[in-house]
Amino acid sequence: MPPNKPTFSALSLLRQAFGGHAGWEKQWRSPEPKAAYDAIIVGAGGHGLATAYYLAKEHGLRNIAVLEKGWLGGGNTGRNTTIIRSNYLFDESAAFYDHAVKLWEGLSQELNYNVMFSQRGVLMLAHTVHDIQVFKRHVHANRLNGIDNEWLTAEETKEFCPPISLDSGMRYPVLGAALQRRGGVARHDAVAWGYARGADAMGVDIIQNCEVTGILRDASGAVEGVETSRGTIRARKVGVVAAGHTSTVMAMAGVRMPLESYPLQALVSEPIKPIFPCVVMSNTIHAYISQSDKGELVIGAGTDAYVSYTQRGGLHITTHTLDAICELFPMFRRMRMLRNWGGIVDVTPDRSPIVAKTAVPGLYVNCGWGTGGFKATPGSGHLFAWTMAKDEPHRINAPFTIERFRDGYLIDEAAAAAVAH
Amino acid sequence: MLLIDCPYCGQRPESEFTYGGEAHIARPPDPSALDDAAWTEFLYLRHNPKGPHAERWRHTHGCARFFNAVRDTRTDHFLATYKTGEPKPELPTPEKAR
């Protein structure tokens, strides 16, 4: 943690407790935008804030602005189900997501901010013969890449997660599962806040309520700044990390993206005592569930079918997911749901992200995380910062270009998982 | 759930329909004449607008026919539905999200 911020410790918590916790300072400033910066990040979600943090921490850039249309962490960072894992099929994805998991493992210490990363294990349920074959293939591929992932029989699955029903009369019975023990969950808001606090301490300006309305380019076509709702801000490097709105922001520079934006819904139940020991995912019947430390069941659905920016989605999509949850976990049939919401996810044709330079000099893009970007937050920021600082991709994100669609080098996790994930 | 006006059957709930992606993307008449950029355009690039979006729907659990629609992606409000083969209707651009 940089020296000019008071650090969190047991002692500082105790001291503040005697003062009724009224003495905590603001964790970041709310500066006015300057006329010019060395680099601008568009979007103060987890990925954007992490990018700014690592640009400042590892690449020595301090004159950075993060511009946010709304409030920081208010988009998909605050709307996801916080699942973290790295057991992806292809070498490129496995390297990227495991880079992120390794950063997750030290993140609370790195940021001096408790992101509540809990490696409670992620179970991916198999319901069909095809699922079994696919997951076993994943287990073997992951083992070759040094990533933990193991196959559990149905009985072992039940032992690891007792709430699961093994009733053979179910429409999609549980036949086994792949388990990544290093997988788990983290506190989504804390990730955004921790990176914001860390970046701010190194001099990064986080400017909220500042919508980018245009991208400025000089006579040679290179980026020279952005127009915003709070005036013109100049910079020779602009990194767009705008999730569902990436297409609209990139269109301001005349760049078309292989992306479509869909609503992805999630919901939480009333809080209950600790009952659910791990994360369970079922891609086949679209149910994703874990229990937060507050006690709420956190449940994720699949995407809605159509392109939309409404942050809503249809009720029948969540109903479909709850059908699956109730069949898998009969004990939850009488649970009441407290809230549901949608986020807008930007989905690429191969369901792998784009973390790359663009054809426009000085313009960089980090997008296409689709339905599973939260897990990659530290790795994404770390590698995108490298790419922006050095004007060339890191070895790990080098395959994740826009041009892969032209050149046919897809990283086809869509086919590997058979669904968005 | 959306209420969708099938041009053949009238208004039906969204659950009777299947979404078919962006409309008016014609299959190239001479595929071998396309270069890589044109293939990328055809296969992968979509407009993904925040606003009116021309898209295909199929009334799967009804008449089973394909048709096109224009929907505002800011509100999910349908501005028009029309039969396949008909041109995209000229619509005034909505001023703001409803």
Side-chain angles (χ1 to χ4, degrees):
Chain A
M1 190 64 211
N4 56 342
K5 272 275 198 283
T7 53
F8 290 112
S9 65
L11 190 64
S12 69
L13 284 173
L14 190 65
R15 191 180 298 131
Q16 289 290 344
F18 285 117
H21 289 291
W24 294 110
E25 293 176 26
K26 285 191 175 167
Q27 298 296 308
W28 51 83
R29 300 161 294 130
S30 289
E32 285 300 310
K34 291 191 274 187
Y37 290 91
D38 293 338
I40 287 175
I41 310 293
V42 181
H47 292 239
L49 292 165
T51 304
Y53 176 85
Y54 291 113
L55 270 174
K57 173 92 186 300
E58 302 203 345
H59 303 285
L61 268 74
R62 296 294 165 100
N63 190 25
I64 303 170
V66 185
L67 308 182
E68 169 56 48
K69 175 174 69 170
W71 64 96
L72 71 84
N76 295 343
T77 300
R79 293 165 186 270
N80 68 87
T81 53
T82 77
I83 298 172
I84 295 164
R85 63 185 179 88
S86 62
N87 50 355
Y88 281 72
L89 180 64
F90 294 112
D91 295 349
E92 296 89 342
S93 321
F96 202 141
Y97 289 101
D98 209 53
H99 180 61
V101 168
K102 286 171 183 159
L103 289 172
W104 276 115
E105 287 171 338
L107 194 60
S108 291
Q109 285 72 28
E110 163 80 21
L111 297 176
N112 177 237
Y113 203 89
N114 187 2
V115 300
M116 297 165 76
F117 179 47
S118 161
Q119 292 177 295
R120 57 185 70 175
V122 175
L123 275 177
M124 300 176 76
L125 301 183
H127 302 277
T128 64
V129 171
H130 177 72
D131 280 351
I132 294 173
Q133 292 168 343
V134 166
F135 287 152
K136 285 189 173 174
R137 185 181 173 206
H138 274 69
V139 167
H140 296 313
N142 291 152
R143 189 170 297 163
L144 291 173
N145 276 316
I147 292 168
D148 76 301
N149 194 12
E150 59 195 275
W151 174 254
L152 302 187
T153 64
E155 289 71 27
E156 289 166 339
T157 303
K158 171 87 176 168
E159 195 176 329
F160 190 77
C161 184
I164 286 180
S165 167
L166 291 187
D167 186 348
S168 61
M170 281 162 52
R171 174 66 183 85
Y172 294 102
V174 175
L175 303 179
L179 168 64
Q180 185 175 29
R181 294 183 190 271
R182 284 165 67 233
V185 291
R187 169 101 163 88
H188 48 3
D189 291 330
V191 177
W193 298 338
Y195 275 122
R197 172 173 171 268
D200 179 86
M202 291 183 285
V204 173
D205 283 357
I206 300 164
I207 302 163
Q208 304 180 73
N209 297 309
C210 181
E211 180 174 1
V212 170
T213 55
I215 295 177
L216 303 172
R217 297 168 68 179
D218 65 16
S220 72
V223 165
E224 57 175 1
V226 293
E227 291 286 356
T228 77
S229 56
R230 295 173 68 174
T232 303
I233 307 175
R234 300 207 171 266
R236 302 302 299 189
K237 287 177 189 272
V238 173
V240 176
V241 198
H245 282 77
T246 302
S247 298
T248 54
V249 175
M250 294 299 282
M252 296 170 191
V255 179
R256 288 190 64 192
M257 299 297 297
L259 293 172
E260 288 195 298
S261 299
Y262 296 91
L264 178 66
Q265 299 182 71
L267 61 166
V268 294
S269 74
E270 57 191 338
I272 51 172
K273 287 184 177 178
I275 184 68
F276 205 75
C278 59
V279 180
V280 171
M281 304 176 57
S282 172
N283 291 343
T284 301
I285 55 179
H286 271 315
Y288 309 90
I289 183 169
S290 64
Q291 187 173 18
S292 75
D293 291 339
K294 271 194 293 185
E296 301 159 330
L297 298 179
V298 182
I299 297 170
T303 59
D304 280 68
Y306 46 80
V307 169
S308 178
Y309 289 81
T310 58
Q311 294 189 326
R312 288 197 294 266
L315 188 59
H316 59 292
I317 301 291
T318 44
T319 305
H320 178 70
T321 288
L322 291 176
D323 288 348
I325 295 289
C326 289
E327 187 166 75
L328 279 175
F329 311 103
M331 65 158 70
F332 294 149
R333 283 181 183 171
R334 297 175 70 183
M335 289 284 292
R336 283 167 294 195
M337 294 298 137
L338 276 189
R339 304 188 301 280
N340 79 322
W341 63 89
I344 301 303
V345 299
D346 44 326
V347 177
T348 57
D350 63 0
R351 304 297 188 273
S352 288
I354 295 167
V355 182
K357 298 168 66 171
T358 69
V360 177
L363 184 65
Y364 306 84
V365 67
N366 182 350
C367 66
W369 289 100
T371 58
F374 179 76
K375 67 173 79 70
T377 304
S380 159
H382 188 252
L383 298 173
F384 192 49
W386 173 293
T387 306
M388 285 185 68
K390 299 184 186 296
D391 196 37
E392 62 176 338
H394 186 279
R395 175 179 53 79
I396 296 176
N397 70 310
F400 293 84
T401 62
I402 304 176
E403 291 76 22
R404 73 175 185 265
F405 297 100
R406 180 196 64 200
D407 299 337
Y409 290 108
L410 302 190
I411 304 162
D412 205 348
E413 294 293 343
V419 293
H421 49 267
Chain B
M1 187 174 299
L2 307 178
L3 197 57
I4 302 176
D5 191 11
C6 170
Y8 303 98
C9 308
Q11 293 199 333
R12 295 287 189 279
E14 177 192 343
S15 52
E16 293 188 11
F17 295 83
T18 311
Y19 177 71
E22 186 173 338
H24 306 295
I25 297 172
R27 189 175 285 269
D30 183 7
S32 60
L34 264 54
D35 61 10
D36 288 352
W39 268 121
T40 310
E41 169 89 21
F42 171 67
L43 289 174
Y44 300 122
L45 296 186
R46 298 293 177 263
H47 285 96
N48 196 27
K50 190 174 185 180
H53 183 237
E55 59 197 22
R56 304 192 309 162
W57 285 88
R58 186 180 180 215
H59 194 184
T60 317
H61 303 291
C63 63
R65 298 172 85 168
F66 276 95
F67 60 92
N68 293 331
V70 179
R71 182 176 51 89
D72 190 330
T73 62
R74 296 170 299 184
T75 57
D76 293 340
H77 177 70
F78 279 91
L79 303 173
T81 55
Y82 52 104
K83 293 175 181 175
T84 302
E86 292 177 358
K88 180 179 163 185
E90 290 295 325
L91 296 166
T93 307
E95 284 293 308
K96 59 179 183 335
R98 286 168 43 136

